[in-house]
Amino acid sequence: IVLIEGMSPDSRTHHSFDERTTALGNASRRILEALGVWGGLAEQCGLIRAIHVSDAGRLAFARLVAQQHGIEAFGFVVPNRVLGAALWEQIRRNPAISVRMPATVESVSTDAAGATVTLAGRSARQGDDEGDGQDDGRPTVLRARLAVAADGAHSAVRRDAGITATESDYGQVAVVANVATDAPHDGTAYERFTAAGPLALLPLRDGSYTVVWARAPEAAAATLAAGDDAFLGLLQQHFGWRVGKFIRAGHRAGYPLKLTRADAAVAQRTVLIGNAAQSLHPVAGQGFNLARGGGAALAERGAQDGDPGEAAVLEGFAQGRALDRRGVTRFTDGLIRLF
């Protein structure tokens, strides 16, 4: 296995290891247990013991309690920096994985026997002096039985495979920040649909919350530019007082929200997972869980059938994932459009 990575995970500018958090479902937890990384993550996760869903201006609400379903928690909220560090540590320990980093994919071509991946620039192997910023400018050509596109919503591997994608702009920007209240939380995650956009609060291990607030671009820009007191007052106004008074806010960042769906999950000797296959609105917190399930399904199918890039194997993978992909995408998109 060769992992091609464009940026060192300890870089301060790594776009995946910012202030965002990820909500892990129980299926993702079991996969991480099998990978041997859950033990170090568990003590740093906030537990979602209950889920409270409401529509601002209406009296009714829905509340789900994990204990009533015989489970400890519906999910686990982990900072991306923590999750990324745990996964990278496991990769470094695995002699079966070679890492080329920093490296950029220049092109991918396929034939019936395999995929040819051409890298641009320096691509040191794991264990060498990767990340020293040197670039000899020479392309490196790799030959493999399968190319796995895990390179995001604007996937270059997907493009080279000839797979088209449809994109729908929600006209929203997610404002993300960590906030503290004057009372510790009880493990409840909140999803509140407001006139200003869906607003989620996810419980963190230290008693604070991660806020994910989808707002119109102009409103999001103003929210990001506001001082902490103004931001907390605005948040209080739209969320209400269910969790007490918001008293402190961390760094805020904004992320444009779009729905991207690849028109196929596989092509010749190529498979798409994660945001390369579908990029979802964060309203239900299912993007990472869907990606993780796809990766696990691919690993299981490849191990069972020998050659992971054979057409029959990839078609079986695509068919096996189709219902989950379609269902989660429709559910997430439907929530936004309904409210």
Side-chain angles (χ1 to χ4, degrees):
I1 298 171
V2 178
L3 173 61
I4 301 166
E5 173 59 46
M7 188 179 296
S8 175
D10 57 5
S11 169
R12 293 183 179 274
T13 59
H14 199 299
H15 56 83
S16 293
F17 300 152
D18 50 25
E19 301 308 313
R20 284 173 290 182
T21 60
T22 294
L24 303 172
N26 280 292
S28 288
R29 184 208 70 206
R30 288 191 290 271
I31 293 170
L32 291 172
E33 285 177 339
L35 291 174
V37 300
W38 181 250
L41 286 176
E43 61 185 21
Q44 301 185 70
C45 291
L47 275 60
I48 300 178
R49 300 186 185 276
I51 300 174
H52 188 287
V53 184
S54 61
D55 191 11
R58 301 180 184 272
L59 295 177
F61 63 87
R63 181 175 172 83
L64 305 173
V65 180
Q67 188 177 20
Q68 295 177 357
H69 295 265
I71 56 177
E72 177 188 23
F74 289 118
F76 308 84
V77 185
V78 58
N80 283 6
R81 294 183 188 278
V82 173
L83 178 59
L87 291 170
W88 270 108
E89 180 60 28
Q90 192 71 357
I91 288 171
R92 290 189 176 102
R93 294 177 181 175
N94 193 329
I97 301 176
S98 171
V99 179
R100 305 297 179 91
M101 176 178 68
T104 302
V105 175
E106 187 173 273
S107 65
V108 179
S109 61
T110 61
D111 53 42
T116 300
V117 181
T118 302
L119 307 182
R122 183 179 180 277
S123 55
R125 290 181 180 275
Q126 176 176 310
D128 294 342
D129 56 337
E130 67 255 32
D132 64 6
Q134 300 299 313
D135 186 346
D136 61 16
R138 294 177 299 177
T140 300
V141 178
L142 305 176
R143 183 71 177 169
R145 292 180 295 175
L146 176 66
V148 180
D151 52 343
H154 303 289
S155 170
V157 180
R158 183 183 67 206
R159 178 201 63 212
D160 286 357
I163 300 176
T164 56
T166 56
E167 185 178 276
S168 177
D169 193 334
Y170 284 113
Q172 295 178 339
V173 173
V175 176
V176 179
N178 289 351
V179 298
T181 64
D182 60 359
H185 64 65
D186 62 357
T188 297
Y190 294 87
E191 187 74 63
R192 186 156 174 78
F193 294 92
T194 77
L199 170 56
L201 263 64
L202 303 175
L204 296 174
R205 184 73 175 186
D206 64 1
S208 63
Y209 294 91
T210 283
V211 172
V212 183
W213 191 1
R215 309 207 68 191
E218 299 80 5
T223 303
L224 291 168
D228 285 355
D229 289 344
F231 168 67
L232 293 172
L234 191 65
L235 182 63
Q236 197 86 65
Q237 174 189 342
H238 287 278
F239 182 81
W241 296 84
R242 281 193 175 92
V243 298
K245 182 180 181 180
F246 295 108
I247 58 174
R248 188 171 63 254
H251 173 72
R252 276 164 275 154
Y255 305 92
L257 300 178
K258 298 180 180 180
L259 170 63
T260 304
R261 288 174 287 190
D263 297 325
V266 300
Q268 184 182 57
R269 294 285 172 176
T270 305
V271 61
L272 313 183
I273 62 172
N275 283 358
Q278 67 281 312
S279 180
L280 308 180
H281 195 290
V283 63
Q286 290 304 307
F288 182 83
N289 293 303
L290 190 59
R292 177 62 65 196
L298 178 63
E300 291 172 358
R301 188 169 292 275
Q304 292 169 1
D305 295 282
D307 182 352
E310 285 186 347
V313 175
L314 295 184
E315 185 59 32
F317 167 82
Q319 292 179 0
R321 295 297 300 161
L323 184 61
D324 199 19
R325 286 185 64 215
R326 186 166 56 247
V328 173
T329 301
R330 286 180 176 176
F331 171 70
T332 300
D333 186 54
L335 277 179
I336 296 301
R337 302 192 186 284
L338 174 65
F339 284 95

